[in-house]
């Protein structure tokens, strides 16, 4: 029960558990999934299939047995409006302090 690197457009690694007849899957985009009810024969057919046929074989025979799929953790997106608002606030504060310094305390500099 070790991870098998898998040359395919959709998948990256597979791990077959013959006791549970399950297949753990790591997709190229980082998602994890588990397929139950996969016989050893079906797993061997998938592994021995030609590289160009693996995507079709996986989509037709393995993917219907996927019982759960967990998306990979993605970094939170910062909306562009928030970034623009923060830039406006920073520039406004800078201008406010610059004007306050030069207008209110101009006599102390001389």
């Amino acid at each position: 029960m070790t991870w098998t690197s898998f040359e395919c457009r959709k998948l990256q690694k597979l791990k077959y558990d013959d006791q549970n007849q399950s297949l753990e899957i790591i997709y190229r985009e980082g998602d994890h999934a588990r397929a139950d009810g996969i016989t050893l024969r079906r797993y061997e057919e998938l592994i021995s299939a030609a590289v160009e046929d693996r995507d079709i074989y996986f989509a037709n025979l393995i993917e219907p047995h996927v019982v759960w799929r967990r998306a990979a953790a993605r970094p939170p997106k910062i909306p562009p409006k928030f970034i623009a608002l923060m830039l406006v606030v920073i520039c406004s504060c800078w201008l406010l302090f610059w004007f306050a310094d030069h207008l209110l305390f101009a006599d102390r500099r001389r």
Side-chain angles (χ1 to χ4, degrees):
M1 206 170 84
T2 60
W3 287 102
T4 304
S5 292
F6 197 68
E7 189 175 330
C8 177
R9 273 187 240 135
K10 208 173 188 184
L11 307 177
Q12 184 177 359
K13 289 184 178 182
L14 298 172
K15 181 167 59 169
Y16 182 73
D17 183 5
D18 54 350
Q19 291 179 346
N20 297 336
Q21 289 191 339
S22 64
L23 186 65
E24 290 186 45
I25 303 161
I26 297 180
Y27 290 88
R28 289 249 179 241
E29 61 266 7
D31 297 355
H32 290 266
R34 180 178 171 167
D36 284 341
I38 307 298
T39 61
L40 182 60
R41 181 176 156 260
R42 218 178 239 181
Y43 172 70
E44 288 173 349
E45 286 175 7
L46 177 65
I47 295 296
S48 63
V51 175
E52 58 273 2
D53 297 335
R54 287 180 177 175
D55 286 314
I56 296 167
Y57 188 89
F58 179 77
N60 292 334
L61 297 175
I62 304 294
E63 214 159 26
H65 294 279
V66 171
V67 291
W68 62 263
R69 183 171 176 172
R70 184 180 61 220
R74 310 250 193 280
K77 255 187 164 175
I78 298 175
K81 287 182 182 178
F82 179 75
I83 294 172
L85 178 66
M86 291 310 298
L87 286 173
V88 168
V89 168
I90 290 169
C91 290
S92 299
C93 288
W94 180 78
L95 282 173
L96 178 71
F97 288 117
W98 186 83
F99 278 120
D101 184 45
H102 283 77
L103 295 176
L104 298 176
F105 303 110
D107 57 333
R108 291 186 184 175
R109 290 187 187 171
R110 294 180 192 166

